[in-house]
Amino acid sequence: MDEETLKRLSDDIEDLKRAVKQNDPLLREVVAPPGWMAFSLLAGLNVTLFALPAHVLVTKYGSFGAIPKAAQIALFAVLALFVVIGGTFKVVIMMRRAVELDNTAGFLTVFEVFYGGKAAHETIPLTLGMIAGTGYAFYAGHPWLSLPLSAFLFGILANTLATRSGVRSYYIVGYWGILFGLVSIPFVEAAPFLWLFVVYGGMLFAFAAAQAQGERSARRFSHAAGARIAGDEQAPGR
């Protein structure tokens, strides 16, 4: 084996090490734990039940403030269900999966998986950008501009998660947020609740569909691999 071959082999090993390090197995399991597809579907349905009725009522009455109080309360109840209960359920699912993989894991472990290490140079600026941009949109009197801004930055964050974890479904989330975040900029203030449904409701449904496709592909691969192993074991001379 000559020196050039040895160097090429060494480079291949280093590339493999970097790939394994980037595709953190704990991150992979935490960002797509069992039950994630169902959660995404329910969250998408929740956004739909808030955004579409709100759009219809605002179109009818002229503004959100002119909507009858009973309808406003119902809409806020749906929104609270999404933010509070949905957010809590999301954290519980992620924490449970982390503990299954490492019984010493806690909330700080999950936080570090997302924001720790070299990834902090990507995740923290993007998160701060979403917070600062949303705050400035409200301060400037154009609160709905926070929708395309947050969607665009969240899309970039989702793409970094996809690259780090190897969970390709997050590319769907990422490019959905980037594309529709940019497309919605000129129109979002004219029909904010409709664009809320398109951007975030559509993102959640698209992610659930991508997860379902990924799970079907994994099952087909597992069945095919099992069939090949069984065939090899039964083959003459084995």
Side-chain angles (χ1 to χ4, degrees), residues 16 34 88 100 140-141 152 169 174 178 208 215:
L16 181 60
T88 302
E100 287 176 357
F152 181 82
S169 304
I178 291 168
E215 290 179 8

Side-chain angles (χ1 to χ4, degrees), residues 93-122:
I93 292 176
M94 295 168 68
M95 287 290 299
R96 182 178 298 170
R97 186 55 179 162
V99 171
E100 287 176 357
L101 297 168
D102 180 1
N103 57 14
T104 64
F107 178 78
L108 291 179
T109 304
V110 175
F111 184 85
E112 186 177 359
V113 164
F114 277 97
Y115 292 100
K118 293 181 180 179
H121 299 294
E122 299 170 339

Side-chain angles (χ1 to χ4, degrees), residues 128-149:
L128 290 176
M130 282 188 274
I131 295 171
T134 298
Y136 183 76
F138 276 83
Y139 173 78
H142 296 278
W144 283 109
L145 288 180
S146 62
L147 176 63
L149 173 65

Side-chain angles (χ1 to χ4, degrees), residues 25-206:
L26 181 58
L27 176 65
R28 180 182 180 86
E29 294 296 330
V30 167
V31 298
W36 214 232
M37 182 186 70
F39 169 78
S40 299
L41 281 173
L42 290 173
L45 179 62
N46 202 266
V47 172
T48 303
L49 291 175
F50 171 77
L52 291 186
H55 172 73
V56 172
L57 290 168
V58 167
T59 302
K60 179 179 180 180
Y61 290 100
S63 68
F64 191 85
I67 296 173
K69 288 298 180 183
Q72 288 188 29
I73 292 171
L75 289 172
F76 280 126
V78 173
L79 185 61
L81 188 68
F82 172 68
V83 174
V84 179
I85 298 179
T88 302
F89 187 52
K90 177 180 178 180
V91 172
V92 168
I93 292 176
M94 295 168 68
M95 287 290 299
R96 182 178 298 170
R97 186 55 179 162
V99 171
E100 287 176 357
L101 297 168
D102 180 1
N103 57 14
T104 64
F107 178 78
L108 291 179
T109 304
V110 175
F111 184 85
E112 186 177 359
V113 164
F114 277 97
Y115 292 100
K118 293 181 180 179
H121 299 294
E122 299 170 339
T123 54
I124 291 178
L126 289 170
T127 302
L128 290 176
M130 282 188 274
I131 295 171
T134 298
Y136 183 76
F138 276 83
Y139 173 78
H142 296 278
W144 283 109
L145 288 180
S146 62
L147 176 63
L149 173 65
S150 64
F152 181 82
L153 293 177
F154 183 74
I156 298 174
L157 181 60
N159 278 358
T160 66
L161 283 175
T163 302
R164 291 170 54 210
S165 67
V167 180
R168 299 178 64 84
S169 304
Y170 276 89
Y171 284 125
I172 302 296
V173 174
Y175 284 109
W176 189 285
I178 291 168
L179 175 62
F180 285 101
L182 291 174
V183 169
S184 66
I185 292 174
F187 313 110
V188 67
E189 291 188 294
F193 295 105
L194 182 61
W195 281 102
L196 176 63
F197 164 71
V198 171
V199 175
Y200 281 108
M203 180 189 294
L204 289 162
F205 286 130

